[in-house]
Amino acid sequence: DAGVIQSPRHEVTEMGQEVTLRCKPISGHDYLFWYRQTMMRGLELLIYFNNNVPIDDSGMPEDRFSAKMPNASFSTLKIQPSEPRDSAVYFCASSLSAGGHYGYTFGSGTRLTVV
Amino acid sequence: AQKITQTQPGMFVQEKEAVTLDCTYDTSDPSYGLFWYKQPSSGEMIFLIYQGSYDQQNATEGRYSLNFQKARKSANLVISASQLGDSAMYFCAMREPNDMRFGAGTRLTVKP
C-alpha cells in the first residue's frame, strides 16, 4: 500500500492567491481528516469526512477555507484568498471505521508558505 | 476545553536509559482510544502505540510501552533503552470515537 499521498509537498504562494492542497487516502479507509500544524497552535483538526461526507467542519478557521471529497480516493483543501497567517504544515490522514481503536495513517504533509 | 494534556514541553534522556513521557486526558465517553505518535525532524507522523479504554493490560510495542492508569486518566509513554534516533517530538492523542485530538507534544532529546 502506498499510504496516504499528499501533494504538493511544499507550496509557496503570494498573499491573496488561491491554494489547493490534495490528498489521496488509503484504499478502503472510510474516514479522512485534515489537520493543520503550527508552532503556536499545535495540531488542529480542521475537518473530517466519513464515506465522502463532511461530518465536522467546526475546526475550519474561516470561510476562506473549504474542503471537498468528491470520491473515496480524493480530497482537496482550498484556501481562497490565502493570507500569511495560513502558513503551516497541512496533514491529511485516513482511518478505518469509527471506533476508538482505529488509529490514523498520516500523509507526509504539505508545507504551505504564504508571503 | 483541552482534552489531552502533555505537561512536559521538553525532556532529556541519556542514551540507553529509559524515559517516561506524560499524558493525561479527559473524557466522559467510556469507549475511546489512546495513541502515541512520533514526529522526527523530517516532519512525518509515525504511529507508535495504541491503548483501548477497555484493554486490561498495558500496551507494548518493542521498546515502547504505555502505562495506562484509567482511574487517573493518564496514558504515559515509556521508552526503554533510548537511542539517538528517538530524538523527536512525541504526541499523545485520543480518539472518542471518530475524531482524534492531540496534545501539545513533548520534545525528547537523547544525549550520547
Side-chain angles (χ1 to χ4, degrees):
Chain A
D1 197 326
V4 177
I5 300 172
Q6 289 187 247
S7 64
R9 289 295 306 273
H10 302 274
E11 176 80 38
V12 180
T13 191
E14 291 186 348
M15 182 174 62
Q17 296 297 306
E18 177 179 295
V19 176
T20 300
L21 311 181
R22 297 172 175 81
C23 175
K24 176 179 168 55
I26 290 175
S27 177
H29 282 191
D30 53 354
Y31 278 80
L32 184 139
F33 306 81
W34 283 99
Y35 284 86
R36 178 173 69 175
Q37 186 178 31
T38 60
M39 289 292 292
M40 291 296 294
R41 302 175 69 91
L43 274 159
E44 303 174 274
L45 176 64
L46 299 178
I47 185 171
Y48 75 93
F49 296 82
N50 176 219
N51 291 322
N52 314 335
V53 177
I55 302 300
D56 184 353
D57 65 353
S58 59
M60 297 285 261
E62 47 198 277
D63 292 346
R64 298 184 298 105
F65 285 70
S66 63
K68 294 182 180 179
M69 192 165 186
N71 56 61
S73 59
F74 184 66
S75 177
T76 59
L77 178 68
K78 186 175 294 185
I79 308 172
Q80 166 64 19
S82 58
E83 296 183 3
R85 60 194 168 117
D86 301 331
S87 298
V89 178
Y90 291 80
F91 285 103
C92 175
S94 70
S95 171
L96 286 170
S97 299
H101 56 283
Y102 287 108
Y104 294 6
T105 301
F106 281 80
S108 300
T110 295
R111 182 174 295 275
L112 174 65
T113 303
V114 183
V115 299
Chain B
Q2 180 148 358
K3 292 191 170 183
I4 303 288
T5 304
Q6 295 181 254
T7 57
Q8 307 154 313
M11 289 281 287
F12 291 88
V13 65
Q14 206 66 38
E15 192 179 8
K16 300 181 184 177
E17 303 212 333
V19 62
T20 299
L21 306 184
D22 294 342
C23 173
T24 58
Y25 60 92
D26 184 31
T27 181
S28 57
D29 195 320
S31 179
Y32 53 89
L34 297 160
F35 302 81
W36 279 90
Y37 283 83
K38 172 184 179 182
Q39 187 177 42
S41 57
S42 52
E44 70 268 33
M45 295 288 286
I46 303 169
F47 165 75
L48 295 178
I49 195 167
Y50 157 80
Q51 179 83 43
S53 58
Y54 295 117
D55 293 343
Q56 296 296 312
Q57 294 190 330
N58 287 343
T60 59
E61 289 285 348
R63 294 187 298 109
Y64 304 108
S65 60
L66 201 152
N67 184 1
F68 181 45
Q69 298 186 45
K70 193 170 184 177
R72 296 180 59 187
K73 294 186 176 178
S74 76
N76 299 338
L77 176 70
V78 180
I79 305 175
S80 63
S82 297
Q83 302 171 356
L84 296 178
D86 294 335
S87 293
M89 282 289 289
Y90 289 81
F91 292 96
C92 179
M94 177 173 65
R95 187 173 187 183
E96 41 138 12
N98 294 329
D99 59 336
M100 189 181 293
R101 307 287 172 163
F102 288 80
T106 295
R107 181 171 297 281
L108 177 67
T109 302
V110 181
K111 295 181 174 180

